Amino acid sequence: MDFKRFSLLIATRTILAMLTLIFLTQAVLHEGYHATVLLLAAILVIQFFEIIRFISKTNAELVRFFDAVRHADFSQRFELKSLGTGFDELGSTFTDILKRIQAVRSNQEAELRHIKAVIEHVPVPLLSIDHNGKITLWNNSVRRLFGTNAVTHIDDMAKFNADFPKKLQGILAGERTLVNITIDDMEHKLIISATEIITATHKETLLSMQDIQSELALAQLQAWQDLVSVLTHEIMNSITPVASLAKTAVDLVQDVQEKTQTLSAISEEIPQKLAEELSEELDDVLSAVKTVARRSDGLMQFVTSYRRLTRLPSPNKKTMSVAILFDHVTRLAKQNWQESDIELSCSVMPQALDIHVDPDMIEQILLNLLLNAEHALAKVDRPIEQRTLAPQIMLNAFLNVRGHVVIEVADNGKGIEDENMTQIFVPFFTTKKEGSGVGLALTRQVMLAHNGKVAVRNNNQGGATFSLTF
């Protein structure tokens, strides 16, 4: 209907212009109508301009509509009725189309924001790598994983592990691999899964990186606890009657010795030589039985110490000053260093640093680490150029770049053999002749109970450093 009305208006204006043109032609052909010719010529020009303006009104509105759609300007409104073009319903249709496009765009943006919010809060780190090696970090988890380290290209991954870029590029879609990396001096074990994403313009690989360091440590600890529990139970069941019988045998042999000595003293019927031989044999028996009893007691104590690994109570956490904690620990440790020339230094940065822990548990593991450092310094055989250096133990506390509290116990001793680095926190493992292998295993368990980590490294200048990261 609008188009018919528009056509009628155009036809009317065109017919009027043609009639004016005919009258103008007749006036030109007859002499004496100069004023009429001028008037009709002016009217004809006005009519032509009106036709052009009338058509341009609609064209301008069409151009404005398409520009609004192209530039997503949904604030435009089209009221063509006021223009007199006859396209009243067309203007309403244009306005309705823009409103519908705006509604669809708003729904798409809302859905996109929802998807982005879901991705941002996914607990698994997500990143993608395109064919040029460019890396895109997709959520908060992956940004927390890498911290302040700039990661924009695959080559940037080499700072965490020299083989890390190669492993990321080599993983195929659908595969999973385990990678060990170190970020800001904190070790991470990542299970990496790959998915290939192909769009019309490019192809990229989406990687999910799940940190299972804590889960592995807890699973390993639980396995050791189960093993220790079974072993200690079976050993105690077997050794308890042996220890009891050994003590009983010692008492019986001593009783027989006393009776034999008494009998040989009051009776002359027992020859002196026989009495001496009997006494020597009883001494041998007593020595053997005492050895069995002593070793049985030692084994029971050994097993009892391991039971601590399976009966660790839940931490009773309190907020306390690290400086006060160091003061308590150093006072206890120095009591055993009366005859040694060990230099102990403490550092807390910032001085007002606090920590939320179980004080008794943390004091105990710090004392164990200080004792280990003392033993390491006692056995060290320094090179000639370092023999003038005094044995030193450093106790340091600070905040790392991630904002975690870190306590370090360092010494300038010999250090730890490379083959022992991965074994020293395993229960039963010890390098000491009289060690039980409980101390460092217990330290690891206490740190896991505090949601923390314990690590060890050798110092460049000699010695080793144990780090407790909370």
Side-chain angles (χ1 to χ4, degrees):
M1 185 67 183
D2 284 342
F3 180 73
K4 290 182 178 179
R5 185 180 175 188
F6 177 75
S7 301
L8 179 61
L9 292 173
I10 288 292
T12 301
R13 284 170 169 76
T14 303
I15 291 172
L16 290 175
M18 292 178 65
L19 290 175
T20 302
L21 180 62
I22 292 173
F23 287 129
L24 177 62
T25 304
Q26 294 297 325
V28 170
L29 293 177
H30 294 80
E31 297 182 356
Y33 293 94
H34 301 292
T36 303
V37 170
L38 292 176
L39 178 62
L40 289 175
I43 294 173
L44 182 62
V45 170
I46 293 173
Q47 287 178 327
F48 278 123
F49 275 108
E50 173 61 21
I51 293 174
I52 294 173
R53 187 187 67 82
F54 183 74
I55 296 174
S56 298
K57 286 180 182 179
T58 305
N59 291 341
E61 291 301 308
L62 287 174
V63 171
R64 188 162 68 91
F65 170 74
F66 289 121
D67 283 341
V69 173
R70 180 173 59 184
H71 299 295
D73 182 7
F74 303 117
S75 63
Q76 297 291 332
R77 294 295 180 267
F78 297 88
E79 301 294 339
L80 302 186
K81 182 178 181 181
S82 61
L83 299 178
T85 59
F87 282 94
D88 303 345
E89 293 184 7
L90 181 62
S92 300
T93 303
F94 283 170
T95 302
D96 184 61
I97 290 174
L98 287 181
K99 288 182 178 180
R100 289 175 180 270
I101 294 176
Q102 182 181 15
V104 172
R105 177 70 64 86
S106 298
N107 291 335
Q108 289 177 341
E109 290 178 352
E111 185 177 357
L112 182 60
R113 285 194 299 269
H114 176 72
I115 294 173
K116 286 185 176 180
V118 170
I119 293 175
E120 283 288 348
H121 292 86
V122 169
V124 178
L126 298 174
L127 62 83
S128 61
I129 305 174
D130 65 12
H131 65 282
N132 293 322
K134 181 183 177 182
I135 290 180
T136 302
L137 305 181
W138 286 106
N139 58 5
N140 286 327
S141 296
V142 73
R143 286 188 283 271
R144 284 195 299 268
L145 176 65
F146 295 113
T148 58
N149 298 281
V151 178
T152 58
H153 194 269
I154 189 68
D155 295 334
D156 296 333
M157 295 295 189
K159 68 180 76 172
F160 311 125
N161 185 323
D163 296 331
F164 198 25
K166 184 178 179 181
K167 289 184 178 180
L168 291 180
Q169 289 177 322
I171 186 172
L172 300 177
E175 289 186 345
R176 304 178 70 191
T177 185
L178 179 63
V179 179
N180 294 331
I181 62 175
T182 301
I183 304 175
D184 296 331
D185 296 327
M186 297 180 67
E187 184 180 356
H188 300 268
K189 293 184 183 295
L190 302 178
I191 286 186
I192 302 178
S193 302
T195 302
E196 194 170 64
I197 299 177
I198 301 176
T199 64
T201 56
H202 69 288
K203 180 176 68 174
E204 62 183 0
T205 302
L206 179 67
L207 301 176
S208 64
M209 300 180 172
Q210 188 170 4
D211 191 355
I212 60 170
Q213 176 77 23
S214 299
E215 288 75 7
L216 276 180
L218 289 173
Q220 187 181 44
L221 176 62
Q222 185 61 47
W224 278 115
Q225 286 182 334
D226 294 341
L227 175 61
V228 169
S229 179
V230 172
L231 289 178
T232 54
H233 177 74
E234 295 300 326
I235 292 174
M236 289 296 286
N237 286 345
S238 300
I239 201 63
T240 300
V242 173
S244 178
L245 290 174
K247 291 180 179 179
T248 302
V250 169
D251 294 338
L252 290 175
V253 173
Q254 289 177 341
D255 187 52
V256 171
Q257 277 186 323
E258 292 175 359
K259 289 180 179 180
T260 301
Q261 291 174 358
T262 302
L263 184 61
S264 62
I266 64 175
S267 175
E268 297 179 355
E269 296 180 359
I270 301 178
Q272 182 67 24
K273 185 176 181 181
L274 179 60
E276 292 177 355
E277 291 178 355
L278 182 59
S279 178
E280 291 178 359
E281 291 178 357
L282 288 175
D283 287 340
D284 293 339
V285 172
L286 180 61
S287 177
V289 174
K290 282 184 176 181
T291 300
V292 173
R294 185 172 62 254
R295 293 306 304 151
S296 298
D297 287 339
L299 186 57
M300 289 185 67
Q301 293 176 4
F302 177 81
V303 173
T304 300
S305 67
Y306 271 102
R307 282 188 167 179
R308 296 170 60 194
L309 293 176
T310 61
R311 297 179 180 178
L312 186 70
S314 299
N316 182 20
K317 295 183 179 182
K318 301 176 182 178
T319 300
M320 68 177 303
S321 168
V322 176
I324 294 176
L325 175 66
F326 280 9
D327 183 63
H328 292 171
V329 171
T330 53
R331 286 185 182 182
L332 293 172
K334 285 182 178 179
Q335 292 180 0
N336 300 323
W337 299 352
Q338 300 295 335
E339 299 179 357
S340 64
D341 57 349
I342 296 176
E343 296 180 1
L344 176 62
S345 61
C346 297
S347 172
V348 180
M349 292 297 293
Q351 187 63 32
L353 185 62
D354 290 335
I355 189 171
H356 189 66
V357 296
D358 186 317
D360 294 332
M361 287 185 176
I362 301 304
E363 284 185 10
Q364 184 59 53
I365 64 175
L366 286 177
L367 286 172
N368 289 341
L369 293 176
L370 289 173
L371 182 61
N372 288 344
E374 179 192 2
H375 291 167
L377 292 172
K379 297 188 299 181
V380 66
D381 183 15
R382 299 178 185 276
I384 296 176
E385 63 272 12
Q386 296 183 5
R387 287 181 182 177
T388 57
L389 298 177
Q392 295 179 344
I393 296 178
M394 288 71 71
L395 195 57
N396 303 318
F398 56 90
L399 289 172
N400 65 9
V401 294
R402 298 293 182 95
H404 299 295
V405 177
V406 179
I407 295 178
E408 292 185 343
V409 180
D411 62 73
N412 61 344
K414 186 178 180 180
I416 300 173
E417 299 292 338
D418 292 339
E419 60 268 18
N420 296 336
M421 277 289 188
T422 58
Q423 302 293 324
I424 58 176
F425 296 108
V426 175
F428 309 117
F429 180 83
T430 180
T431 58
K432 304 175 184 177
K433 292 183 178 180
E434 298 180 356
S436 62
V438 173
L440 291 178
L442 188 62
T443 297
R444 185 186 185 206
Q445 186 171 347
V446 169
M447 290 304 298
L448 287 174
H450 284 78
N451 297 320
K453 300 176 183 178
V454 57
V456 62
R457 68 178 185 274
N458 282 323
N459 304 325
N460 295 331
Q461 296 79 16
T465 298
F466 285 86
S467 300
L468 307 179
T469 304
F470 295 89

Coordinates of all heavy atoms in Angstrom, one line a residue, residues 46 128 389:
I46 N 11.0 24.4 -10.5 CA 10.6 24.1 -9.1 C 10.0 22.6 -9.0 O 10.3 21.9 -8.1 CB 9.6 25.1 -8.6 CG1 10.2 26.5 -8.4 CG2 8.9 24.7 -7.3 CD1 9.3 27.6 -8.1
S128 N 45.4 -21.4 25.1 CA 45.4 -21.9 23.7 C 46.7 -21.5 23.0 O 47.2 -20.4 23.3 CB 44.2 -21.4 22.9 OG 44.1 -20.0 22.9
L389 N 86.0 -20.8 57.2 CA 84.6 -20.4 57.3 C 84.0 -21.1 58.5 O 84.1 -22.3 58.7 CB 83.8 -20.7 56.1 CG 84.2 -20.0 54.8 CD1 83.3 -20.5 53.6 CD2 84.1 -18.5 54.9

